Amino acid sequence: YQTFKRVVKDMGNGFPSFACALDYRTAIEDGITDAEYFEQERAKLPASVFNMEYGTIFLGSSNNSAFPFDLTEKCRTLERVELEQPKNCKSRYVLSLDIATSKDKKADNAILSVIKFSEKTDGHFQKKLVKMKSHHGKGLDSLAEEVRKTYFLQFPNAERIIYDARGLGDSFGKFLDEAWIDPATGKEYPPLVHDDEVSYIENALPVRAVQTLNQRVATHLRVALEKRTLELPINSRVLQAKLANPEEPISMSMEEIAVFHEADALQYELGNIVAKVSTSGNYLYDTPSAAMHKDRYSSLGYACDYIAELEEANIKKHQRRTTCIGFATAF
């Protein structure tokens, strides 16, 4: 992308150079690739990823981006993801859901993320985005089913299920507060309820995305990226190169590969998040246009915000631990 920009700039300055960006339609018109191939790719890739791969839309950053490409790219180091927690796993997890139910093609997706985190020696937490899955046009009942399957059957170590309790989320808890029976095994699992309610189990935390939270989420996510305490899956192109390497063959399912494509779309969304000043003087973090999506950003942000609050308390606990080494003697 930087090379393309440099060549275009040279063209504008009169230097002998040439640059052009031809999208997938050129390949179809010239008979290089069949249209069916691109339709298959469009069906399995997020729209933003398809546009980057075949639509000559470069992955960059909006002006005044809160999470520019150079910042997020340094954190894309995770080479393995998880469809479920490993056997005998002792790690901590958080599930985070950004709710969307519209079936309109241009509407937001509901995004379910899984963050794995562990304590470092200084009290901070290292975080990994081990799973991200998008759902389009599903109702609250279907999303509740996905949450239960992900928690009970795949990541039972998850200590919180986080979602935005405003708007659609205001009634989401009603779809979780009953016992659930796994249709595959017939096993019954207890209800999921809010932290401030008394029930069989307390592990669902509603998050109200008011202005204060909006800024706090962005701040905590920015800090995690700057300090590189958040690891994101590697670019899907890098992954494909690794999968195609005959010298070191890697086996990976399509569902696992899909997580890396979701991370591509996440990076695209993060690059489009900008800070806006409201009439009351508060900073709000949103996309420049209503046509852009930020559902993956929100899902990831809710989880990182929750972990940041745990981290703050944990660091204070570490600071209170003092060790004195000395000698006692008599003269």
Side-chain angles (χ1 to χ4, degrees):
Y1 177 63
Q2 295 300 329
T3 302
F4 181 85
K5 288 204 305 181
R6 177 181 56 77
V7 174
V8 170
K9 185 177 180 180
D10 289 345
M11 290 172 61
N13 292 331
F15 291 99
S17 55
F18 176 75
C20 67
L22 305 176
D23 66 15
Y24 68 96
R25 286 166 290 195
T26 303
I28 296 174
E29 292 171 0
D30 290 348
I32 299 173
T33 309
D34 293 335
E36 290 76 10
Y37 170 79
F38 295 109
E39 291 306 314
Q40 292 173 0
E41 290 292 284
R42 189 195 300 273
K44 70 182 184 181
L45 295 175
S48 56
V49 176
F50 179 84
N51 289 333
M52 287 185 287
E53 291 290 336
Y54 305 111
T56 67
I57 296 178
F58 291 107
L59 175 60
S61 299
S62 298
N63 291 332
N64 195 33
S65 171
F67 309 97
F69 175 81
D70 290 343
L71 174 66
T72 55
E73 183 66 12
K74 294 174 183 177
C75 296
R76 299 200 66 178
T77 57
L78 193 63
E79 297 187 2
R80 301 296 304 190
V81 296
E82 298 178 16
L83 301 182
E84 60 183 30
Q85 68 183 46
K87 292 183 179 179
N88 302 318
C89 177
K90 303 298 181 183
S91 297
R92 302 171 70 178
Y93 292 88
V94 169
L95 271 61
S96 181
L97 175 69
D98 184 62
I99 300 174
T101 59
S102 175
K103 295 183 179 180
D104 188 277
K105 290 184 178 180
K106 296 182 179 180
D108 287 344
N109 294 309
I111 304 295
L112 183 58
S113 304
V114 180
I115 305 293
K116 183 178 186 176
F117 65 105
S118 57
E119 184 178 349
K120 300 169 70 175
T121 55
D122 59 359
H124 288 83
F125 290 116
Q126 189 67 26
K127 301 168 286 292
K128 297 179 181 181
L129 176 63
V130 294
K131 185 176 182 179
M132 178 173 276
K133 188 174 183 180
S134 59
H135 303 275
H136 191 82
K138 287 193 172 185
L140 293 178
D141 54 344
S142 296
L143 292 177
E145 189 81 357
E146 290 296 332
V147 167
R148 284 169 164 142
K149 288 179 181 178
T150 305
Y151 171 65
F152 288 121
L153 307 182
Q154 298 169 358
F155 296 93
N157 279 11
E159 57 191 65
R160 285 293 185 278
I161 300 168
I162 306 174
Y163 65 94
D164 182 357
R166 297 185 311 161
L168 291 171
D170 183 55
S171 57
F172 186 61
K174 297 178 182 178
F175 293 87
L176 299 172
D177 62 0
E178 294 182 355
W180 177 70
I181 299 176
D182 178 11
T185 63
K187 182 178 178 179
E188 181 175 295
Y189 296 90
L192 299 170
V193 299
H194 293 175
D195 275 7
D196 56 359
E197 297 178 4
V198 178
S199 187
Y200 300 104
I201 190 169
E202 298 182 358
N203 65 334
L205 173 65
V207 177
R208 295 192 177 276
V210 294
Q211 288 184 353
T212 303
L213 178 60
N214 178 291
Q215 183 171 352
R216 195 181 71 208
V217 165
T219 300
H220 285 155
L221 181 54
R222 173 82 190 201
V223 170
L225 292 168
E226 286 182 349
K227 292 186 174 181
R228 299 190 194 179
T229 60
L230 173 61
E231 298 177 61
L232 304 175
I234 60 175
N235 190 288
S236 62
R237 285 190 175 187
V238 177
L239 175 68
Q240 292 296 342
K242 289 180 176 292
L243 294 175
N245 184 1
E247 297 180 1
E248 298 180 14
I250 300 174
S251 176
M252 194 170 291
S253 68
M254 291 303 295
E255 192 175 356
E256 288 176 294
I257 294 173
V259 178
F260 293 88
H261 286 297
E262 291 288 353
D264 290 345
L266 167 66
Q267 186 177 31
Y268 180 82
E269 288 185 11
L270 287 169
N272 288 326
I273 301 297
V274 297
K276 301 178 180 180
V277 182
S278 67
T279 54
S280 60
N282 294 316
Y283 280 95
L284 298 176
Y285 292 84
D286 205 341
T287 57
S289 166
M292 296 178 175
H293 300 294
K294 62 181 181 70
D295 28 274
R296 293 174 182 84
Y297 156 74
S298 297
S299 179
L300 176 65
Y302 295 152
C304 288
D305 178 67
Y306 168 76
I307 297 173
E309 291 190 330
L310 294 181
E311 189 175 60
E312 183 178 349
N314 198 50
I315 292 172
K316 289 180 179 178
K317 184 173 65 176
H318 273 254
Q319 291 173 343
R320 289 195 298 266
R321 296 174 182 171
T322 57
T323 303
C324 298
I325 302 176
F327 297 93
T329 184
F331 294 96

